[in-house]
Structures are given as C-alpha cells and as structure tokens.
Amino acid sequence: MKTVHLIRHAKSSWDHPGLSDVDRPLNDRGTNACRIMAQPIWDAGCRFGHVFCSCARRTQMTIRGIADSLPDMNIKWNVEDALYTFSGRALLDWIHQLDESLDEVVMIGHNPATTDFCNAMANANIPNVPTCGYVQIQFAQSSWLELSVGSGSLECFLTPKLVAKS
C-alpha cells in the first residue's frame, strides 16, 4: 500500500509585487495557519517521514512553520524543483519516479495541481484545496508506478477553517 499526503502551501503575501512568484513568502495568516494545522495533520496519521517540498519560498515556509509547531518530531524535508508545478499530471509523473522502498510521502505544493491531483487520483469532488489544506490519499498498489487515475481512496481532507471550528 502507498500513501500520499498533500499539503498546499499556506497563504502567501502579495505585499511586494516586484517579487517573482517563486520568491513570495507567507503572510501572517499563512504563518498562523501552519501553527493551527500542524497537530491535526499529525493526528490524521501524517508522520512526516519522507517530505518533499516545492522550491518556492512559500512552500518551504509552510513546512518550516508546521515543523516548528511539532518540535519533538524533528521534521526534515527535501526541496524538489519538479514540485513547483501547477499540473496534477506533473505530480503523478513525479510520483511514478519515487523509490519503491518508500510507502508514504508528503508533498508540499501548489494549486491547481494539488486539487486536480486529489480529484483525479481519488475520484474526489473537492472544489478547491485551500491554502494550508491537507489531503491524504491511500492506494492499494504496492508500486508507485502502478498509481493511476481513480486508483486512490480519499482518507482525510482538512482545512484551516474546519480545524479552527473544532
């Protein structure tokens, strides 16, 4: 069985219009969302064993904010240029290249790639994975190469608004 944990980056700042998209940081709301989402993501079964993050500054700030909120977990991550994509198909292509010894991965990335990937892979009907949203998809397949459209099961979907209400 394979499991994919997806986290869309937290809310980014548009305060500096001259910054390139890849260099935009989080705003205060995004930083706060990382704090409130960290424990619920952990409680949903995400153990942050193999974490891969887009090269965008906002995605790296998102995982850093989550890691800082779970200090006893010693979360580490790898930056992957290929995850700086807005294509769900590109995410699947990247997953197909994963080492088969990994059973679970965490990906921190962007929309619409995150929403499109979730809906396609799990036959879900999520209109939008919001900033700092979390999705867990499980697959019965034993090989990353075997993952295909509709082969997953949506196990968890968390948003900052839902978490704040509970």
Side-chain angles (χ1 to χ4, degrees), residues 1-162:
M1 178 165 22
K2 301 292 186 186
T3 303
V4 176
H5 304 269
L6 296 112
I7 302 170
R8 181 179 171 199
H9 67 77
K11 191 75 174 163
S12 60
S13 172
W14 291 89
D15 288 346
H16 306 285
L19 282 179
S20 67
D21 182 68
V22 74
D23 292 325
R24 285 190 293 113
L26 297 184
N27 65 16
D28 290 343
R29 183 173 137 201
T31 301
N32 187 52
C34 294
R35 281 192 295 274
I36 67 169
M37 289 296 288
Q39 191 64 51
I41 291 171
W42 177 267
D43 293 345
C46 182
R47 294 299 176 253
F48 299 98
H50 303 283
V51 181
F52 302 93
C53 180
S54 156
C55 60
R57 183 175 177 199
R58 61 192 179 273
T59 57
Q60 293 175 63
M61 289 179 75
T62 298
I63 189 57
R64 183 173 291 114
I66 290 170
D68 289 349
S69 297
L70 297 168
D72 295 339
M73 307 314 157
N74 195 27
I75 298 169
K76 306 275 188 234
W77 58 91
N78 297 300
V79 174
E80 292 283 334
D81 290 345
L83 295 180
Y84 182 65
T85 183
F86 306 99
S87 162
R89 179 63 210 194
L91 294 182
L92 181 57
D93 291 344
W94 182 83
I95 284 172
H96 281 159
Q97 298 176 26
L98 285 170
D99 186 313
E100 293 297 347
S101 68
L102 305 177
D103 289 326
E104 293 193 30
V105 295
V106 181
M107 297 169 20
I108 297 92
H110 308 271
N111 249 3
T114 301
T115 299
D116 292 348
F117 179 86
C118 295
N119 286 333
M121 299 306 289
N123 287 324
N125 191 22
I126 299 170
N128 178 51
V129 175
T131 52
C132 213
Y134 166 77
V135 178
Q136 181 183 133
I137 303 173
Q138 290 185 353
F139 299 88
Q141 292 80 0
S142 60
S143 169
W144 293 113
L145 282 170
E146 295 173 357
L147 271 57
S148 61
V149 170
S151 65
S153 171
L154 179 65
E155 298 297 315
C156 185
F157 176 45
L158 298 173
T159 70
K161 283 185 182 178
L162 288 174

